[in-house]
Amino acid sequence: MTETAKPPIQLTVNGRHHSLPAAGDASLLHVLRNDLALNSPKYGCGLGECGACTVLVDGIAARACVIPAGGVAGRAITTLEGLAPPGGLHPVQQAFIEAQAAQCGYCLSGMIVMTVALLARRPDPTDDEIRAELSGNLCRCGTHLEILQAVRRAAELTRWAATTGGAA
């Protein structure tokens, strides 16, 4: 009995189309890191609990470690690498730099991507809303106050960019 070859997975990641021979049940995280060499989503827990692997799927924050790559075929996937134009920074990235909100940096990609999703829904979140949104993203280094400050600054920069039509 011969095995029928499976059709390649069609993914759109950071605005680029990819046709990949990966198995459809491989995790999106595995495909992003191993097949596409995008290293911002990190492997943390493998259970979707820590937030290190967070990406945007059609603009909504999602845990790449628990999503089968075949399940997001045809949808827009955005990683940290795809948030800003080449050589530039997204307002959220700029805010995290200004606030010095990184220590080891392992959680940073997930925190930034989750913040982008939050600000798309709530351009001026309260501190309680920020805490609730980021509660599923674990930071073991204790930069929680700086991260909160960075999200507040990101909201300012994002609103400014939206009103001026320019980058932060």
Side-chain angles (χ1 to χ4, degrees):
M1 175 185 232
T2 49
E3 202 171 304
T4 307
K6 294 181 181 179
I9 298 171
Q10 308 297 319
L11 295 178
T12 303
V13 181
N14 298 332
R16 295 184 59 200
H17 180 75
H18 302 275
S19 182
L20 302 167
D25 60 350
S27 75
L28 178 59
L29 178 63
H30 177 86
V31 171
L32 292 172
R33 291 185 60 83
N34 296 345
D35 296 331
L36 299 180
L38 297 169
N39 293 319
S40 66
K42 306 287 188 245
Y43 183 89
C45 65
L47 301 170
E49 298 291 328
C50 73
C53 66
T54 303
V55 298
L56 299 176
V57 178
D58 292 337
I60 298 169
R63 310 299 185 164
C65 71
V66 293
I67 298 173
V72 291
R75 299 175 72 186
I77 301 158
T78 306
T79 67
L80 182 72
E81 292 92 343
L83 291 178
L89 291 173
H90 186 280
V92 175
Q93 292 170 307
Q94 181 64 43
F96 271 71
I97 291 169
E98 289 177 15
Q100 298 180 11
Q103 195 161 15
C104 82
Y106 204 82
C107 71
L108 200 58
S109 173
M111 292 283 190
I112 290 172
V113 170
M114 190 65 93
T115 299
V116 169
L118 168 64
L119 296 179
R121 290 189 330 275
R122 306 242 345 129
D124 193 18
T126 66
D127 285 355
D128 286 342
E129 289 170 329
I130 295 167
R131 284 185 187 98
E133 186 76 12
L134 297 180
S135 66
N137 288 64
L138 303 181
C139 173
R140 293 176 180 94
C141 296
T143 62
H144 300 94
L145 295 176
E146 291 85 355
I147 290 169
L148 186 61
Q149 179 184 353
V151 177
R152 283 191 223 110
R153 177 67 177 143
E156 292 171 6
L157 293 174
T158 302
R159 286 191 308 273
W160 182 84
T163 59
T164 63

